[in-house]
Amino acid sequence: MAVTSKHIYDFLIKVQSISKIGLLYSKDPYALSNYKEINDLSTSFLEQFLEVEFDRPNYFQRDVYPTPNVSVRTVIFNDKRDKVLLVREAKTQDYSLPGGWADLYDSPSQTAINESRQEAGADLRDLRLVGVVNRTPFKSPTSVPEYVVIFEAKLNGELKEHEYETDNVAFFPIDNLPLLSKKVSPGEVERMIKAAFNNEVIFD
């Protein structure tokens, strides 16, 4: 495959995005130093590539017009559709639907695929949009305003290895869910699962 300008641009954007996430969440001084260097280098390359100075508001700064963040959650039933796949967060030891923040330039469906593979070791097929809901009313006043895009998908093959953020992946009866993560209220999870089960579309 011939490398085009778009490939180079997409690569630089991805590197820049990873460095920003690292700077935001990492606590290790050595890692922070490396992320900052990667951020500075990728910014310099982007400036030269685009011939634009990045000293103005842009998509990596928070002084642009404020909008909600976007996350994705995926509902995956077993074959009998009486159980749903949940992942347990290693730090908090509570469960949630596979999902997370959408990365820059990833489509919602690609985010669902990526997050399900990372958190649950699940390869997906037959994705269906269930809805888009505003999670801000359910959260504390200090939380980040958020829209969550919900998909239903089928498991393609067996579960594989998953990343370190989750330490258990299992199907649970939809009427007997385990302790749920504080990031998503039980009412929200139940609404998402119910909509997926009934082939409904929900919003707001």
Side-chain angles (χ1 to χ4, degrees), residues 18-32:
I18 292 171
S19 69
K20 294 293 184 182
I21 294 170
L23 286 170
L24 179 62
Y25 288 107
S26 180
K27 303 299 182 184
D28 180 76
Y30 180 74
L32 288 170

Side-chain angles (χ1 to χ4, degrees), residues 103 113-122 161-164 166:
D103 287 336
I113 291 169
N114 293 345
E115 291 292 329
S116 295
R117 183 178 295 125
Q118 292 168 10
E119 294 192 346
E161 291 186 6
H162 53 81
E163 295 188 359
Y164 63 91
T166 56

